[in-house]
Amino acid sequence: IEVVPGPKVNAQLTGHVVSYESVTVPAGTFMAFRTIISINGQRFADRWYAPETGTFVRAITSDGRQGQVISELLEFQKYADPAGGF
């Protein structure tokens, strides 16, 4: 986290689950909830959350310069023990 001095800015963050769909990433294929996140009415990110992994498996985020940053889960190993075998 980078802390930048300056005035506080209020923003409205909105998130909507728009579907439950299959998504394929380098770690495999998962059923995931697709969410769309907006800030002040402007689309900011699409994210896919897979309950099987307990995390987001893909995220497409606006970089603020008309570009996108795409993040995907690269590896996933399922453990029989919920604590991961530790």
Side-chain angles (χ1 to χ4, degrees), residues 2-84:
E2 180 179 339
V3 178
V4 179
K8 291 183 180 181
V9 177
N10 290 326
Q12 182 179 4
L13 180 70
T14 307
H16 297 282
V17 175
V18 296
S19 64
Y20 185 63
E21 61 191 39
S22 177
V23 61
T24 300
V25 296
T29 300
F30 305 94
M31 288 303 294
F33 293 98
R34 181 179 181 183
T35 60
I36 296 176
I37 300 167
S38 300
I39 297 177
N40 293 333
Q42 296 292 322
R43 190 178 196 149
F44 171 71
D46 287 36
R47 295 186 178 178
W48 287 259
Y49 176 83
E52 178 183 353
T53 65
T55 191
F56 290 97
V57 294
R58 175 180 286 152
I60 302 174
T61 307
S62 168
D63 72 359
R65 297 179 302 249
Q66 304 296 339
Q68 296 178 334
V69 175
I70 300 173
S71 304
E72 295 183 323
L73 185 66
L74 298 178
E75 293 181 23
F76 175 72
Q77 186 171 357
K78 191 172 186 174
Y79 290 98
D81 179 348

